Amino acid sequence: MKKNIIKPSILPGFMELLPNEQQIFNDIVSRITKVYEENGCLAIDTPIIEKAEVLLAKTGGETEKQVYSFQKGKNNLALRFDLTVPFARYVAQYYNELVFPFKRYQIGKVYRGERNQKGRYREFYQCDIDVIGKGKLSIDNDAWVISLASKAFKSIGLNNYRFQISNRKILKGILNELEIDKTNEVMILIDKYNKIGKEVFSKELKSLIGAEKSEYINKVLDINGTNKEIIGELLKLKIDNKDFIEGIEELNKVCYILSILGVGDEEFEINLKIIRGLDYYTGTVFETILTGNEGYGSICSGGRYDNLAENYTNNILPGVGISIGITRLFFVLKEIGFIDKYEMKNKLDYLIIPIGDTIKYCAEVMRYLQKNGKRVTVYFEEDSLKKKMNYANKIAVSDVILIGEEEVEKREVKIKNMDSGESKNLEYRLL
Amino acid sequence: MKKNIIKPSILPGFMELLPNEQQIFNDIVSRITKVYEENGCLAIDTPIIEKAEVLLAKTGGETEKQVYSFQKGKNNLALRFDLTVPFARYVAQYYNELVFPFKRYQIGKVYRGERNQKGRYREFYQCDIDVIGKGKLSIDNDAWVISLASKAFKSIGLNNYRFQISNRKILKGILNELEIDKTNEVMILIDKYNKIGKEVFSKELKSLIGAEKSEYINKVLDINGTNKEIIGELLKLKIDNKDFIEGIEELNKVCYILSILGVGDEEFEINLKIIRGLDYYTGTVFETILTGNEGYGSICSGGRYDNLAENYTNNILPGVGISIGITRLFFVLKEIGFIDKYEMKNKLDYLIIPIGDTIKYCAEVMRYLQKNGKRVTVYFEEDSLKKKMNYANKIAVSDVILIGEEEVEKREVKIKNMDSGESKNLEYRLL
């Protein structure tokens, strides 16, 4: 009977890694997780499938088109497209059982049917922290969540990142004072600043709000210098607007607390062009670029919102959050050569190879090594020594333990270091 | 404007936990993962959504009806219903890049639209190990994967489990010798033995294959005693059939290697009634019961199969695997009171509460404690001391550090132990 073989393949736009890279991916996730847990964030987990009416309570336009939705029985279902909406639902649902401020993290897959292109994935891991308050939430948290992103990056050995921080209230105040009613259009335009360049931006802004106001906004966006200098220049504008003043105060405080929390001056900068699209953000907003590789866009973004769960509850729940798209980040880190040089700390320590019927002693040695915190496995197959050593080479274990009858008799354990790769350079040492 | 509030809720049949239980769930997962990694298993991750034709290459009947499948664009998609089928696809797809024997583990969510009933979930975590060989695979691996389940259970403090092990070849051989052609029907009936009871079983078996043969099979299934005695009784049957003899030899070897690998006599037993439905298993099969709570069924099952990926490749890939349904396991552990008594090792160690403007010193103390491996967070909100202490009580942290201006001046850190729960019993000690 000839069998019908189906070609093994996955859908386009889905990331799947070979074991070597997968171990690195998982190591990155576990280091980030460790940072979040060391800092008192509580993990939650929500279903990947939810009621469509719940997930799509707010969205519309582009996002909704990208959502994977379908029917099962009489239910309209959808796959979550981020972790924020399910979290809003979660907080509203268990409001009475949660302790606020609620510091939570969540790592999980989300789904977006994006156009297929390199480095964009339809299934990707997000790794979010959000702090939610009951009615109010200290601005210190805005700095705190960014400081955790800083710690997370450092924990994986990444150094060339820079947080670009702003506060939406500043621009909101300015636009208000200028009596500009096309707020959204201007915001969207500023959000595109880096993509379209100063020249196109200025032209489009001018046609949107006229020469005079456009010039003023350009002047604001051109402010640069140290964070202190930028704050100073903003204050010199002497705009008497509540939002504007609050925005500057908050931004100043965030910078201050960041320093206090150990985030170095070189790690962050004020960038008034940061908007974060038309998301739900209302105060602090930030993105994270890789310096020298800005073209890849933000690798970690977030901000402050006034009311997280307004679609699900009348309780006011302000919060601040950050999100790292780990699948995308991994892609970028591969592109810039970071993954090639990534140092795995959790590799297999020992491969034990029995020669002859020595399995009992092999198991004893394995137990001993594992009790001492080592990662160990035994090669069980009956193969030639050559094949066994070939396996050891391929799995990139550094130490191999060969156990023949002589070793059993003498209760010896000889460790062969594989780093040289050549058998004549064997270096035996006694355990 | 009155807002349209959507009731926050999730679909029936989906497990969602409050933070306290979620931390325990995650702790269980991370302990099991640690065991797998210490023993040299490599993690892989596959998409939750796959091509329907690939996922459904083999299944039919009940499983196929339960699968979540849908269309997106012109693609027929399905959500994975286990981790074995995607793994088979993975191994076939990357055959040339993998090192065999390939010892992999995978933890992830799978989906089955089961009838809604207590303790049955439509989204649940599976946690699988499989070892795959190229053309051949030592029987030692069958014992090894079971020994990892044993280590996994011990690592979470679970002791009252027992592996029930058999080998399909034994019954296959017997049925062959008895010239029974209704093999599948008999297998299915034996699989139901415990559910329907001896009497019903015997009656149905008799009507299926007649009195004489039925009596013989009943005699075999009634064999009991120690593992050694059962093997002895089987040998006494003196059935000269290749499968039968191989099955006994393999079962005997698995028991021997289990002991060598440190699995205690009390942890496993031969049980000839174990079949594992009509799955792809061909040799070793096992289930795991909770002694004293057998009614919950198997909490970990698996076995040996001759050819994992036959739907996707002509390469012969024998393997052996185990699967723990962690979501279901968690439900069962809750039911039997295990979760209530579960001891979390990774709780928050310290909550630092600033009194007045002492945040700078608080951050310094936090850094110091975290450098020493402690889990620490700061309470940033400006609240009354009462409210702050109330928070500390609610989040169940054992030590609180209050930092006022006096502490800053003296560079002191006073730790208040919360275990007593009463403020008069405070126990201060110097760091």
Side-chain angles (χ1 to χ4, degrees):
Chain A
M1 196 178 77
K2 201 175 174 294
K3 284 219 20 240
N4 186 22
I5 299 291
I6 293 169
K7 187 176 177 261
S9 66
I10 57 172
L11 292 157
F14 285 69
M15 180 186 272
E16 188 166 76
L17 303 171
L18 283 169
N20 274 353
E21 286 193 344
Q22 187 71 56
Q23 306 323 300
I24 295 175
F25 186 97
N26 290 14
D27 194 61
I28 288 173
V29 170
S30 84
R31 279 163 199 264
I32 295 175
T33 307
K34 189 160 173 274
V35 166
Y36 294 176
E37 294 194 338
E38 276 169 2
N39 284 279
C41 298
L42 294 175
I44 71 160
D45 186 26
T46 64
I48 286 177
I49 309 177
E50 296 222 21
K51 293 175 183 175
E53 78 202 67
V54 169
L55 278 194
L56 303 174
K58 194 185 183 180
T59 62
E62 264 322 293
T63 308
E64 187 146 349
K65 256 183 271 169
Q66 293 182 351
V67 171
Y68 285 83
S69 55
F70 56 98
Q71 279 215 319
K72 177 95 184 163
K74 57 182 175 22
N75 294 315
N76 290 314
L77 312 178
L79 304 188
R80 65 184 180 203
F81 51 89
D82 70 8
L83 300 177
T84 309
V85 174
F87 179 53
R89 192 264 310 146
Y90 182 96
V91 174
Q93 188 169 340
Y94 308 109
Y95 181 77
N96 291 317
E97 287 142 296
L98 298 175
V99 183
F100 295 94
F102 181 35
K103 301 173 177 182
R104 90 88 171 76
Y105 81 92
Q106 183 170 6
I107 295 179
K109 287 177 169 179
V110 304
Y111 296 83
R112 293 186 198 172
E114 294 211 55
R115 196 165 57 81
N116 192 23
Q117 53 185 315
K118 199 184 172 209
R120 289 282 158 198
Y121 296 95
R122 291 172 177 165
E123 173 186 75
F124 56 98
Y125 279 95
Q126 279 198 331
C127 176
D128 285 17
I129 300 176
D130 287 89
V131 189
I132 305 296
K134 204 171 186 163
K136 67 188 180 71
L137 185 73
S138 161
I139 185 79
D140 296 357
N141 292 288
D142 299 40
W144 182 71
V145 291
I146 297 174
S147 80
L148 295 195
S150 157
K151 286 181 184 175
F153 291 136
K154 282 177 192 151
S155 79
I156 61 168
L158 188 65
N159 295 309
N160 61 327
Y161 58 87
R162 189 192 285 260
F163 302 111
Q164 302 186 312
I165 308 174
S166 186
N167 189 302
R168 275 209 185 172
K169 290 177 186 172
I170 296 172
L171 262 165
K172 195 184 164 198
I174 293 175
L175 295 179
N176 234 323
E177 284 305 303
L178 293 176
E179 294 181 338
I180 291 169
D181 49 2
K182 290 175 182 165
T183 317
N184 280 354
E185 287 91 331
V186 175
M187 290 289 206
I188 290 172
L189 195 59
I190 298 175
D191 195 39
K192 288 195 291 187
Y193 193 106
N194 280 327
K195 226 182 260 172
I196 59 181
K198 186 179 167 69
E199 206 169 327
V200 178
F201 170 78
S202 301
K203 215 178 110 192
E204 291 194 13
L205 187 64
K206 195 170 150 188
S207 78
L208 204 60
I209 56 172
E212 199 185 344
K213 292 176 181 176
S214 154
E215 201 179 306
Y216 190 89
I217 287 179
N218 262 310
K219 197 179 78 182
V220 174
L221 296 179
D222 279 345
I223 295 174
N224 62 30
T226 63
N227 295 335
K228 219 172 224 165
E229 285 163 0
I230 293 175
I231 298 282
E233 289 296 316
L234 284 171
L235 288 172
K236 275 192 209 157
L237 296 175
K238 293 203 185 300
I239 300 174
D240 185 21
N241 174 287
K242 190 175 159 283
D243 279 325
F244 178 78
I245 292 165
E246 240 180 63
I248 293 175
E249 278 171 4
E250 288 183 4
L251 187 54
N252 198 31
K253 186 76 187 284
V254 167
C255 291
Y256 171 68
I257 302 289
L258 274 175
S259 297
I260 277 184
L261 291 175
V263 181
D265 283 348
E266 71 292 353
E267 290 182 62
F268 68 100
E269 67 192 19
I270 293 176
N271 183 330
L272 299 173
K273 299 183 195 90
I274 299 299
I275 298 288
R276 301 292 311 137
L278 283 182
D279 280 333
Y280 31 71
Y281 298 118
T282 50
T284 302
V285 278
F286 81 97
E287 297 188 351
T288 316
I289 50 153
L290 286 172
T291 52
N293 292 282
E294 292 80 0
Y296 288 108
S298 178
I299 58 164
C300 170
S301 317
R304 155 78 62 148
Y305 35 83
D306 278 344
N307 198 358
L308 176 71
E310 56 182 352
N311 294 305
Y312 311 115
T313 173
N314 287 316
N315 295 309
I316 305 296
L317 295 160
V320 60
I322 63 169
S323 181
I324 305 177
I326 305 189
T327 303
R328 165 86 187 157
L329 175 64
F330 190 81
F331 166 82
V332 172
L333 294 181
K334 254 169 86 167
E335 290 280 302
I336 66 173
F338 181 86
I339 297 301
D340 282 342
K341 286 176 284 179
Y342 192 86
E343 213 181 306
M344 277 291 291
K345 295 230 173 82
N346 297 326
K347 284 197 305 190
L348 189 67
D349 295 303
Y350 297 101
L351 175 70
I352 301 178
I353 297 181
I355 299 171
D357 186 16
T358 61
I359 182 80
K360 197 167 174 178
Y361 187 52
C362 289
E364 196 182 316
V365 172
M366 176 166 73
R367 258 198 303 283
Y368 172 79
L369 290 169
Q370 284 178 340
K371 260 190 196 142
N372 288 284
K374 299 299 182 189
R375 298 186 169 208
V376 192
T377 199
V378 174
Y379 191 83
F380 291 118
E381 310 312 305
E382 280 177 32
D383 286 319
S384 65
L385 184 58
K386 194 184 158 196
K387 204 165 170 195
K388 288 173 178 176
M389 295 311 286
N390 196 20
Y391 174 82
N393 269 318
K394 277 192 193 158
I395 62 165
V397 65
S398 60
D399 287 316
V400 167
I401 298 172
L402 291 164
I403 296 186
E405 269 151 37
E406 199 190 319
E407 280 75 23
V408 177
E409 214 165 282
K410 296 187 183 165
R411 293 192 65 76
E412 264 182 7
V413 177
K414 287 174 185 165
I415 296 170
K416 178 181 170 182
N417 189 281
M418 300 289 286
D419 278 343
S420 69
E422 287 173 33
S423 50
K424 53 181 169 176
N425 288 337
L426 304 187
E427 190 188 298
Y428 286 99
R429 57 193 152 90
L430 221 58
L431 189 73
Chain B
M1 196 178 79
K2 202 176 171 295
K3 286 220 17 243
N4 186 20
I5 299 290
I6 292 169
K7 187 176 175 263
S9 66
I10 56 172
L11 292 158
F14 285 70
M15 180 185 273
E16 188 167 76
L17 302 172
L18 283 169
N20 274 352
E21 285 192 345
Q22 187 71 56
Q23 307 323 301
I24 296 174
F25 186 98
N26 290 13
D27 194 61
I28 289 173
V29 171
S30 83
R31 279 162 198 264
I32 294 175
T33 306
K34 191 162 171 271
V35 166
Y36 293 176
E37 293 193 339
E38 277 168 2
N39 285 279
C41 297
L42 295 175
I44 72 159
D45 186 25
T46 64
I48 286 177
I49 309 177
E50 296 221 22
K51 294 176 183 175
E53 78 203 66
V54 169
L55 278 193
L56 303 174
K58 193 185 183 179
T59 61
E62 264 322 293
T63 308
E64 187 146 349
K65 257 183 269 169
Q66 294 183 350
V67 171
Y68 285 83
S69 54
F70 57 98
Q71 279 215 320
K72 177 97 183 161
K74 57 180 174 23
N75 293 316
N76 288 315
L77 312 178
L79 304 187
R80 65 184 180 203
F81 51 90
D82 70 7
L83 299 177
T84 309
V85 174
F87 179 52
R89 192 264 310 145
Y90 182 97
V91 174
Q93 190 169 338
Y94 308 110
Y95 181 77
N96 291 318
E97 287 142 296
L98 299 174
V99 182
F100 294 94
F102 181 34
K103 300 175 176 181
R104 90 86 171 78
Y105 81 92
Q106 183 171 7
I107 295 180
K109 286 177 170 179
V110 304
Y111 295 83
R112 292 186 198 171
E114 294 211 57
R115 198 163 57 82
N116 192 22
Q117 52 184 316
K118 200 185 171 208
R120 288 282 160 196
Y121 297 94
R122 291 171 178 166
E123 173 186 75
F124 55 97
Y125 280 95
Q126 279 198 331
C127 176
D128 286 16
I129 301 177
D130 287 89
V131 189
I132 305 297
K134 205 170 186 164
K136 67 188 178 73
L137 185 74
S138 159
I139 186 79
D140 295 359
N141 291 288
D142 299 40
W144 182 71
V145 292
I146 297 174
S147 80
L148 295 195
S150 157
K151 286 181 182 175
F153 290 137
K154 283 178 191 151
S155 79
I156 63 168
L158 188 66
N159 294 307
N160 60 328
Y161 58 86
R162 189 192 285 258
F163 301 111
Q164 301 186 313
I165 308 172
S166 185
N167 190 303
R168 276 209 186 173
K169 291 178 185 172
I170 296 172
L171 262 165
K172 194 183 165 200
I174 293 175
L175 295 178
N176 234 324
E177 284 306 303
L178 293 177
E179 294 181 337
I180 291 168
D181 49 3
K182 292 174 181 165
T183 316
N184 281 354
E185 289 90 330
V186 175
M187 290 290 206
I188 291 171
L189 195 58
I190 297 176
D191 195 39
K192 290 195 290 186
Y193 193 107
N194 279 326
K195 228 182 258 171
I196 59 180
K198 185 180 166 70
E199 206 168 327
V200 179
F201 170 80
S202 302
K203 216 179 110 191
E204 292 194 13
L205 187 65
K206 195 171 148 188
S207 77
L208 204 59
I209 54 171
E212 198 185 346
K213 291 175 181 177
S214 154
E215 200 179 309
Y216 191 87
I217 288 178
N218 261 310
K219 197 180 79 182
V220 174
L221 296 178
D222 279 346
I223 294 174
N224 61 30
T226 63
N227 296 336
K228 217 172 227 167
E229 284 164 1
I230 294 174
I231 298 281
E233 288 297 315
L234 283 172
L235 288 172
K236 274 192 210 157
L237 295 175
K238 294 201 185 298
I239 300 175
D240 185 22
N241 174 285
K242 189 174 162 279
D243 280 324
F244 178 79
I245 291 165
E246 239 179 65
I248 293 176
E249 277 171 2
E250 287 182 5
L251 187 55
N252 198 31
K253 186 76 186 282
V254 167
C255 291
Y256 171 68
I257 301 289
L258 274 176
S259 298
I260 277 184
L261 292 174
V263 181
D265 284 348
E266 71 291 356
E267 291 182 62
F268 67 100
E269 66 191 19
I270 293 176
N271 183 331
L272 298 173
K273 298 183 195 87
I274 298 299
I275 298 287
R276 300 293 310 138
L278 282 182
D279 280 333
Y280 31 70
Y281 299 117
T282 48
T284 302
V285 279
F286 80 97
E287 298 187 351
T288 316
I289 51 153
L290 286 172
T291 52
N293 292 282
E294 292 80 359
Y296 288 107
S298 178
I299 57 163
C300 170
S301 316
R304 154 79 61 149
Y305 35 82
D306 278 344
N307 197 358
L308 177 70
E310 56 181 352
N311 294 304
Y312 311 115
T313 174
N314 286 316
N315 295 310
I316 304 296
L317 295 160
V320 60
I322 64 169
S323 181
I324 305 178
I326 305 190
T327 304
R328 165 85 187 158
L329 175 63
F330 190 81
F331 166 83
V332 173
L333 294 180
K334 255 170 86 167
E335 291 281 300
I336 66 173
F338 181 85
I339 298 299
D340 283 342
K341 286 175 283 178
Y342 192 85
E343 214 181 305
M344 278 289 292
K345 295 232 171 82
N346 297 327
K347 283 198 307 190
L348 190 66
D349 295 303
Y350 297 101
L351 175 70
I352 300 179
I353 298 180
I355 299 171
D357 185 15
T358 61
I359 182 80
K360 197 167 173 179
Y361 187 52
C362 289
E364 195 181 316
V365 173
M366 176 167 73
R367 259 197 303 281
Y368 171 79
L369 290 169
Q370 284 178 341
K371 259 189 197 143
N372 288 282
K374 299 299 181 188
R375 299 185 170 209
V376 192
T377 199
V378 174
Y379 190 84
F380 291 118
E381 310 311 305
E382 280 177 31
D383 286 320
S384 64
L385 185 58
K386 194 184 155 192
K387 205 167 168 193
K388 288 172 178 175
M389 296 311 287
N390 196 19
Y391 174 82
N393 269 316
K394 276 190 192 159
I395 62 164
V397 64
S398 60
D399 287 317
V400 168
I401 298 172
L402 292 163
I403 295 185
E405 269 152 37
E406 200 190 316
E407 281 76 23
V408 178
E409 215 165 279
K410 296 188 185 165
R411 293 193 63 77
E412 264 183 8
V413 177
K414 287 173 183 163
I415 296 170
K416 179 180 169 184
N417 189 280
M418 300 288 286
D419 277 346
S420 68
E422 288 173 32
S423 49
K424 53 181 171 176
N425 288 338
L426 306 187
E427 192 189 297
Y428 286 99
R429 58 192 151 90
L430 220 60
L431 190 70

